[in-house]
Amino acid sequence: MVSIFLSWSCMFISAYILGGGIINLIYKKNAENLKKIDIYLICGIMVVNVYAEIVSLFFRVGKGAIIGLVFLVVLMLIIMFKQGIILPLSIRLKWEQGIVLFFSIVITAFWTLSKINYYDTYLYHAQAIHWIEEYGVVKGLGNLHNRLAYDSAFMCYQALFSFKWLLGQSLHAANGFICVLFLTYAILTNGILHKKKLDLSDLFKCGMVYYIVQHRTEISSANTDMLPMLLAVYIFTKWAEFEEGQVEVIEPWAFLCIFSVYGATVKLSVAALVIFTIYPLALIIKNKKWFMMIRNLIGGFLVALPFLVRNVIISGYLLYPYPQIDLFSVDWKMLESVATFDKREIIVWGRAVKDVKRYQETILEWLPEWYIKQTQTGKILFIVGSISTLCCIIYLFELVRKKKTKKLILVLTCLVSLCMWFFTAPLMRYGQVYLVLPICITMYWIKEHEKCIIGLNVLVSTILILLFSEYVIKWKEYTTLPLLLQQDYEDKEVKKLNFENITVYVPVEGDQSGYHPFPSTPYEKQLEMIELRGDSLQEGFKVKDICKGKHLQNSGKEW
């Protein structure tokens, strides 16, 4: 528990100072809507994440990276002091908000301490973080373990705050901090319990809390799904807040678009959020704010560049697994057939059919099987979400007729995001929020016709009761959790293989090796198709010339 709060404190301080400092230095006027604690923190997380990615391009992300981060924080404090910038250090809470917030933080801390119960963390998340801790980025790493080519920017952030060099084990507390941040924002700024007028942003915040509670068992893992999903809901929420507050200046709208770019570097499944750029771009062009355009383009470019460079170094492609974007001729490039198979495997697993041979099936063929394999909650969410989507389409035409541009773009982005998720890889954990968002929009749309305030209050109360009951019901389980250090990654049964005089570990059964056996690959046969680029792991891996003409999949087998 102590290690969790120390880790969260470091994340909070660095994000708050760097995020708040940058926003106040760049937006000295016409951007009061950006000078909020929640935006400071989200901006700070983005900045720290980009910093960790840049460090990984040249060094390991460990003790030196933390020292560099401390230097940046101190430098920002000095600059703010000289500029007379003071960040708010306190917030006013009503007693009921304070109680709910206290229990939310404590319960989230317990969730973070819980045993990791997330398959992909032992499959590749832990290994990816271990590589970043030890080497930063390695050329052709995807050849050793194809899933390490899924270059989520969030891995670098987690490696930065793992504190392995200090504690002797790698912490995985970043998702807990992210959930505390968004949970706090959703609770403290939600006016659904005391405002007479119901706002769309309040409903989105309820959706945010629902998502966190629904995925509470995943908070202790090093997964890369929670941040992009919550960030997507947050961007929709802030967009709605700006619209409700009748924000006319361009800066807040444009800045949200940079958050969208950051979300895409964490998970490509949120890439559709770039549709939000339509509105601020149109305003910038209309008002001839060319400097503002250049500034935001530079901001988006700086956020995306380290992510794209890491992609090229790890896989040889600008975006993996999309071999169609083949711009670089490097000796460590992964086989096109591996990338293609990987992409199709992601799609069929999302469809719950899990057989790449069924990749060409139409929606009428895979949808019934997909639906049957969903949980009961997933089935209900899909049905309600589908009905709500139809309502959103009708609402969209109404917004066109009424010329409500900002809300029109919000609903349009919601629908496009839903379609992008459902018709590519509709795994529920990849895009559950895209079903929650249209439900919130539909509830808001019908509020003028039906007095649903009481029902919404019941919904919020139910979610809060779930948060509290989670601790009460399982209090005995929580009392057995460690008070100092977070539970370490579990050991998996592996066997040692000699690969060019280097020991490589392979799972005895299945494809999980976890964190400690390092380096590892999920498939023994994969070692037969690759070789070292030099004499050490630091120099990376490449495909053997004899294998380049073969049509191989990610396990080393032909397909």
Side-chain angles (χ1 to χ4, degrees):
M1 180 71 80
V2 175
S3 63
I4 293 294
F5 284 118
L6 285 175
S7 178
W8 286 359
S9 298
C10 293
M11 295 180 201
F12 177 86
I13 293 170
S14 59
Y16 189 58
I17 292 174
L18 292 177
I22 286 175
I23 288 176
N24 280 277
L25 289 172
I26 295 177
Y27 300 98
K28 295 182 179 179
K29 57 181 180 178
N30 296 331
E32 290 303 316
N33 297 91
L34 289 177
K35 296 177 181 179
K36 307 289 185 182
I37 294 177
D38 57 289
I39 295 183
Y40 288 168
L41 288 169
I42 301 300
C43 178
I45 289 171
M46 177 178 69
V47 170
V48 173
N49 201 156
V50 171
Y51 161 77
E53 289 180 276
I54 293 173
V55 171
S56 75
L57 296 176
F58 306 99
F59 312 101
R60 67 171 67 185
V61 180
K63 182 179 180 180
I66 286 292
I67 293 173
L69 181 62
V70 172
F71 173 79
L72 288 178
V73 170
V74 172
L75 180 62
M76 181 60 75
L77 286 172
I78 294 172
I79 294 173
M80 286 194 296
F81 177 76
K82 289 186 175 181
Q83 295 287 328
I85 298 171
I86 300 175
L87 300 180
L89 297 176
S90 63
I91 53 177
R92 294 180 179 179
L93 295 179
K94 294 184 176 181
W95 67 269
E96 62 269 22
Q97 288 179 315
I99 292 174
V100 172
L101 181 60
F102 172 78
F103 277 105
S104 299
I105 293 175
V106 172
I107 292 170
T108 306
F110 280 122
W111 287 337
T112 308
L113 283 170
S114 300
K115 179 181 176 181
I116 296 177
N117 186 27
Y118 199 85
Y119 192 91
D120 282 0
T121 290
Y122 287 110
L123 175 62
Y124 74 95
H125 295 153
Q127 277 288 306
I129 292 171
H130 201 153
W131 274 101
I132 296 169
E133 292 169 342
E134 295 293 335
Y135 295 100
V137 66
V138 174
K139 294 176 181 177
L141 184 59
N143 290 312
L144 175 69
H145 192 323
N146 68 291
R147 290 177 179 85
L148 296 182
Y150 302 163
D151 178 35
S152 170
F154 192 48
M155 293 296 188
C156 294
Y157 185 89
Q158 296 190 78
L160 179 65
F161 292 106
S162 70
F163 294 110
K164 180 186 177 182
W165 56 272
L166 179 64
L167 302 173
Q169 72 175 64
S170 183
L171 296 181
H172 36 93
N175 275 314
F177 174 70
I178 296 299
C179 287
V180 165
L181 170 59
F182 285 111
L183 201 58
T184 302
Y185 165 72
I187 292 173
L188 296 189
T189 65
N190 201 320
I192 200 169
L193 296 176
H194 60 80
K195 284 195 304 188
K196 293 182 179 180
K197 180 183 177 183
L198 173 67
D199 288 325
L200 178 58
S201 61
D202 295 325
L203 292 174
F204 283 154
K205 291 167 189 174
C206 292
M208 194 179 293
V209 177
Y210 166 79
Y211 178 85
I212 293 172
V213 174
Q214 186 71 16
H215 293 264
R216 59 191 180 276
T217 58
E218 302 169 14
I219 293 175
S220 61
S221 75
N223 80 78
T224 58
D225 295 322
M226 302 200 77
L227 174 58
M229 294 298 100
L230 288 170
L231 186 60
V233 182
Y234 176 78
I235 292 170
F236 274 94
T237 304
K238 295 305 292 187
W239 191 276
E241 279 188 357
F242 291 162
E243 193 270 339
E244 291 155 6
Q246 298 179 343
V247 175
E248 298 298 332
V249 292
I250 307 173
E251 285 86 348
W253 305 96
F255 192 76
L256 276 185
C257 299
I258 299 179
F259 284 165
S260 300
V261 174
Y262 172 57
T265 67
V266 178
K267 200 83 171 180
L268 288 174
S269 59
V270 303
L273 296 185
V274 297
I275 295 174
F276 278 126
T277 60
I278 294 174
Y279 178 70
L281 182 61
L283 289 180
I284 288 172
I285 295 174
K286 179 181 178 181
N287 293 280
K288 298 181 180 180
K289 300 278 188 178
W290 308 123
F291 176 75
M292 186 186 299
M293 176 184 285
I294 294 172
R295 183 176 62 190
N296 282 278
L297 286 175
I298 291 174
F301 177 75
L302 292 176
V303 169
L305 183 60
F307 165 73
L308 296 174
V309 172
R310 280 181 52 85
N311 273 332
V312 175
I313 294 175
I314 293 173
S315 68
Y317 297 101
L318 192 66
L319 292 173
Y320 183 88
Y322 297 94
Q324 301 89 342
I325 310 175
D326 190 358
L327 305 176
F328 304 94
S329 180
V330 292
D331 65 358
W332 64 81
K333 183 182 294 183
M334 296 174 66
L335 292 177
E336 180 181 346
S337 61
V338 171
T340 301
F341 184 89
D342 214 358
K343 179 184 175 183
R344 293 184 179 183
E345 190 174 47
I346 292 171
I347 292 173
V348 296
W349 272 78
R351 294 174 180 175
V353 296
K354 301 182 180 181
D355 184 357
V356 175
K357 295 178 182 178
R358 299 177 60 181
Y359 168 74
Q360 298 290 353
E361 287 185 351
T362 65
I363 187 173
L364 295 179
E365 293 174 303
W366 61 259
L367 182 58
E369 187 172 343
W370 176 88
Y371 179 78
I372 291 173
K373 291 181 179 179
Q374 301 306 309
T375 63
Q376 192 64 32
T377 302
K379 290 176 181 178
I380 295 172
L381 187 64
F382 175 68
I383 293 172
V384 178
S386 299
I387 296 172
S388 299
T389 300
L390 295 175
C391 294
C392 285
I393 294 173
I394 299 172
Y395 186 36
L396 190 70
F397 287 105
E398 180 180 309
L399 293 172
V400 172
R401 180 172 53 83
K402 293 181 178 180
K403 297 181 180 180
K404 293 186 176 181
T405 306
K406 294 186 279 291
K407 194 160 285 182
L408 169 66
I409 292 175
L410 184 147
V411 177
L412 178 64
T413 306
C414 175
L415 293 173
V416 173
S417 298
L418 175 62
C419 291
M420 181 178 170
W421 162 71
F422 190 72
F423 291 104
T424 53
L427 194 63
M428 192 60 78
R429 67 181 173 87
Y430 288 165
Q432 187 183 60
V433 297
Y434 299 132
L435 291 171
V436 173
L437 289 171
I439 293 174
C440 295
I441 293 172
T442 301
M443 292 175 71
Y444 174 78
W445 184 39
I446 64 175
K447 79 174 180 68
E448 300 296 337
H449 309 287
E450 298 289 341
K451 293 184 178 179
C452 56
I453 301 293
I454 295 177
L456 291 172
N457 287 342
V458 171
L459 172 64
V460 175
S461 301
T462 302
I463 291 173
L464 297 179
I465 290 171
L466 283 172
L467 281 168
F468 181 73
S469 63
E470 176 71 17
Y471 177 74
V472 174
I473 294 172
K474 296 186 177 182
W475 70 273
K476 289 185 179 180
E477 177 183 329
Y478 290 138
T479 56
T480 63
L481 294 173
L483 293 178
L484 292 177
L485 281 176
Q486 184 182 28
Q487 292 188 69
D488 199 1
Y489 293 100
E490 289 183 1
D491 291 322
K492 297 294 180 180
E493 189 177 0
V494 295
K495 59 182 178 181
K496 296 180 180 179
L497 295 178
N498 183 25
F499 172 70
E500 299 190 13
N501 297 321
I502 294 175
T503 300
V504 176
Y505 298 89
V506 178
V508 173
E509 292 184 4
D511 51 10
Q512 293 178 307
S513 56
Y515 176 88
H516 297 290
F518 180 84
S520 73
T521 181
Y523 312 110
E524 183 175 347
K525 194 171 180 62
Q526 196 160 5
L527 295 175
E528 299 175 8
M529 58 184 283
I530 65 173
E531 59 187 359
L532 288 174
R533 296 182 63 251
D535 299 324
S536 65
L537 293 174
Q538 181 69 61
E539 294 176 81
F541 307 86
K542 64 179 181 178
V543 178
K544 293 178 179 178
D545 291 337
I546 194 173
C547 296
K548 289 182 179 178
K550 297 181 179 180
H551 200 251
L552 303 175
Q553 57 169 273
N554 51 24
S555 63
K557 299 178 182 178
E558 292 199 45
W559 65 290

